[in-house]
Each structure stands twice: as C-alpha cells, then as structure tokens.
Amino acid sequence: MLDLKESLSAIHSTFMDQLNLVSSSSEAENLRVRFLGKKGELTAVLRGMSSLTPEERPVVGQLANDVREAMETSLSEAMLVIIEKEKAARLNEQKIDITLPPVTGELGSRHPLYKVIDEICGIFLGLGYTIAEGPEIEYDEYAFERLRLPKGHPARDTQDTFYISENILLRPQTSPVQVRVMEKSKPPIKIVCPGKVYRADTLDSTHSPIFHQIEGLVVDYKVTMGDLIGSLQLFCKKLFGEDTKIRLRPHHFPFTEPSCEVDISCWGCGGKGCRICKSEGWIEVLGAGMVHPEVLSGCGIDPEIYSGFAFGIGVERTAMGRFGIDDIRLLYENDVRFLRQFR
Ligand code: DAH
C-alpha cells in the first residue's frame, strides 16, 4: 500500500513538473493522454490495487481520486492560460497594418464618348430639359414612317440599316424618340435623348455602323426658329467656348420644315481656316429644324396651336473635335493606352 501511495504522489509530482514545461495546447493534450488517459500512468498504477486488502482499497482509491482530480484541475487551469496565449499570438500574427498603401486594381475612367454625352446633356438639363429614352430596336413605323419617310422614300437610302424583320430594325437615328415622347405626353415638351444608332456604313476613319446621337425636342406655344437659333447658340458657346459662332445652312430633313445643318466656327482657328476645318473655317455639328406640322398632328398634337423645334447632335464627331481624335475607330477599340488619356 505504501508503494502505491508513493507511486501516486510520484506520478502527481512528475505530472506537475511536466505541466510546467507545457507551452501549447497540443502538448497539454499529449500530457493528459500520457497521465490521465485510459492507457495512462495513473490507470497503470490503479491496476496494482488488486493486490491490496479490502481495508486498504478505499483508502488508496480515495487517494487516487484526489490525485486525479488535482491533476485534472491543474491541467484545465494551465489550458485556460495556454489557450489565451495562443489566441493572443494568433491575433498578433493577423494584425493588419492600416498604414500600408492599399492594394487596388487600376481605376478605370469614363469613356470619352460618355464624357461628351454627360457634358451635352448637362448643358440641356441646365436649360430645363429632361432626359428621354427610346428603344434601339425600333419599329419601321417610328424609325421612318411617322417621321415622314414612307417606304421607298429616297432619304431612307442614306439611313438604311439593319433589319430584324420587315418592320423591325435597329434605329438609324434617335429621331423616333421624338414620336414616342410626343404621342405619350402633352406640351410643353423639352427633352434630350442620348443613345446608340445603327447604319449600314462600312467602318473607316470617319464612319462606324454603330454610333451615338443626342436628339433634342421642344414643343410648346409659339416656339419659333428664333428660339431654335438662340438655344443652339447658347449650347454651342457652353460646349465649345464663349467665342464660338454658329452658322445655319439650309438642308432637308423630312421631319422638319424648314430644316438646316448647323456649323460652328472652327475650334482650331476660330474661323480663319486650318487643317481641322479643312480650310473652311466652319465645322458641321448638328442637324435641326422646326418640327413638321404633319409629325406633330401624327402624334396627336395640334399644329395650329403648338409648334416645336428639334435637333440631332452627332456625339462621335463632337468628341473627336473636342479631344482632337482623328480616327473614329479609336473610340471603339478600348485600347487602354488611348482611354487613359481621358482620365
Ligand atoms: N436624325 C437626323 C440624322 O440622323 C439628325 C436630325 C436632323 C435630327 C434634324 C433632328 C432634326 O431632330 O431636327 O441625320
């Protein structure tokens, strides 16, 4: 019995010595298995109890239980400290240095075409216009017929586009939005509509089968050509600079009467003639006119009461002028070396 008692206290003190050396939770677990596990040292000692007398057994049994309990308590106390230490070490390792510069991807920027669209729409919003939208896949009826371009009309040739079926096509101009807006709302109407248009043009340095326009429409009582000229003058000064002059040349558009093309004094030479304006002194920027009475009445607006003006601005041409871009294809190739210049 004395042997057993000594063994128990030897195990206890060895255990405590070892426990003092333990520095991680896995080492502590190993220690537990070694001393307190089923095949552990304590169990091995208890096996020797069979040689004890019935009087001795409960005494040694009690002692063994006390030793086990003491070891378990010491172990779990040590565990608590170790786990805390390990957590602190983990957090320390994961510390984020917020003074380091962030690792970000390269920031993109607005495409030059959309910069120009934003700028132009911004000017008209400032003049009290609102933005309207229309579908890019359009009915022939809206794209042509109701703009007074019946089937077989020669003016269709320059705009003939991609047909999806006999009566559905990719819109060749933003002008159909005029009809869509007028048939749905009553004057006063003051809208601009930016968007993509499609034409069966071969891609070269000045043509693209997909390009952008901004349509404008104003319908109200007694809107005159003077209002159109004044509005466009104001717009061109804001977009191209205060010294910009405009010039109207008579033209024909089936949906406006009278119609004109609008040139601005060249931004390169101010009108003297240079390479940019091909020595003309003027650069064409948009088409415009007074909304044809038949277009108005076709949308349920009485031309005896109301009148209006409309205009269509070519976005690519404007962007190329603004930024000095000499090939329209650069605008679609998405070469970042080109796009980076418009940050
Ligand atoms: N839609 C015409 C084109 O694509 C441009 C245009 C001219 C629009 C006169 C208009 C306008 O609204 O009044 O060539």
Side-chain angles (χ1 to χ4, degrees):
M1 172 168 142
L2 219 80
D3 277 2
L4 275 179
K5 278 188 176 173
E6 268 166 20
S7 297
L8 281 172
S9 84
I11 286 177
H12 191 189
S13 69
T14 319
F15 176 81
M16 291 310 287
D17 290 346
Q18 300 279 315
L19 190 59
N20 276 335
L21 301 175
V22 159
S23 62
S24 71
S25 49
S26 61
E27 280 174 24
E29 172 61 11
N30 287 343
L31 200 67
R32 190 191 64 75
V33 173
R34 194 179 126 198
F35 284 89
L36 299 161
K38 268 196 195 127
K39 293 178 186 160
E41 295 192 16
L42 194 63
T43 320
V45 170
L46 294 181
R47 264 195 218 110
M49 279 175 71
S50 52
S51 63
L52 297 178
T53 63
E55 293 77 35
E56 289 170 336
R57 254 181 231 162
V59 181
V60 176
Q62 182 62 48
L63 183 67
N65 273 344
D66 292 349
V67 168
R68 172 182 288 277
E69 238 168 63
M71 285 163 76
E72 279 174 352
T73 310
S74 306
L75 183 67
S76 45
E77 278 168 10
M79 245 342 220
L80 280 182
V81 177
I82 288 169
I83 286 172
E84 272 311 305
K85 251 198 223 152
E86 286 180 341
K87 194 165 127 195
R90 227 178 18 251
L91 288 176
N92 203 34
E93 236 170 61
Q94 293 171 352
K95 213 159 46 184
I96 296 164
D97 183 351
I98 55 165
T99 63
L100 281 176
V103 187
T104 55
E106 201 181 341
L107 273 189
S109 59
R110 207 122 172 86
H111 191 279
L113 279 178
Y114 284 85
K115 279 193 162 175
V116 168
I117 289 176
D118 287 350
E119 206 176 331
I120 295 176
C121 288
I123 293 172
F124 284 107
L125 286 174
L127 295 172
Y129 288 64
T130 53
I131 308 278
E133 281 188 323
E136 287 174 26
I137 301 171
E138 186 55 285
Y139 291 110
D140 184 284
E141 179 195 343
Y142 287 91
F144 290 130
E145 307 256 334
R146 292 175 67 181
L147 293 169
R148 304 184 67 254
L149 281 133
K151 289 206 164 70
H153 191 289
R156 277 192 181 214
D157 287 351
T158 56
Q159 296 203 347
D160 247 0
T161 179
F162 305 100
Y163 279 84
I164 288 162
S165 67
E166 207 189 323
N167 292 314
I168 297 176
L169 63 149
L170 297 180
R171 68 180 178 193
Q173 49 184 352
T174 43
S175 304
V177 184
Q178 291 188 29
V179 179
R180 288 187 170 273
V181 170
M182 284 193 285
E183 71 178 5
K184 282 231 167 65
S185 42
K186 296 209 163 1
I189 293 168
K190 244 176 131 177
I191 55 111
V192 275
C193 165
K196 283 197 190 75
V197 297
Y198 303 81
R199 289 190 198 173
D201 277 337
T202 309
L203 189 66
D204 63 22
S205 64
T206 52
H207 294 87
S208 160
I210 305 174
F211 58 103
H212 298 75
Q213 290 186 331
I214 297 179
E215 193 78 15
L217 173 72
V218 172
V219 184
D220 205 347
Y221 293 113
K222 299 192 175 122
V223 174
T224 67
M225 192 85 183
D227 296 319
L228 169 64
I229 296 170
S231 304
L232 292 179
Q233 175 76 71
L234 193 80
F235 159 69
C236 290
K237 277 179 186 289
K238 280 197 185 266
L239 189 67
F240 296 105
E242 277 306 308
D243 296 334
T244 309
K245 294 183 199 64
I246 65 166
R247 174 178 87 169
L248 275 65
R249 278 179 292 104
H251 196 78
H252 171 74
F253 295 107
F255 40 91
T256 45
E257 179 60 35
S259 306
C260 59
E261 280 189 329
V262 179
D263 302 336
I264 60 164
S265 50
C266 175
W267 50 71
C269 60
K272 288 189 209 78
C274 69
R275 198 179 61 88
I276 297 173
C277 57
K278 298 194 184 88
S279 307
E280 300 241 329
W282 297 93
I283 296 170
E284 185 199 321
V285 284
L286 55 92
M290 300 305 293
V291 182
H292 197 290
E294 285 179 15
V295 175
L296 288 174
S297 59
C299 296
I301 294 175
D302 187 347
E304 298 293 327
I305 303 174
Y306 295 105
S307 55
F309 66 74
F311 53 87
I313 305 166
V315 176
E316 273 74 356
R317 187 180 302 181
T318 310
M320 289 166 78
R322 279 299 302 274
F323 299 125
I325 299 165
D326 56 10
D327 193 320
I328 199 171
R329 289 169 288 202
L330 287 165
L331 291 168
Y332 311 117
E333 283 164 355
N334 288 334
D335 183 333
V336 287
R337 289 168 303 178
F338 169 75
L339 295 174
R340 266 199 202 114
Q341 300 170 60
F342 304 95
R343 286 250 169 94

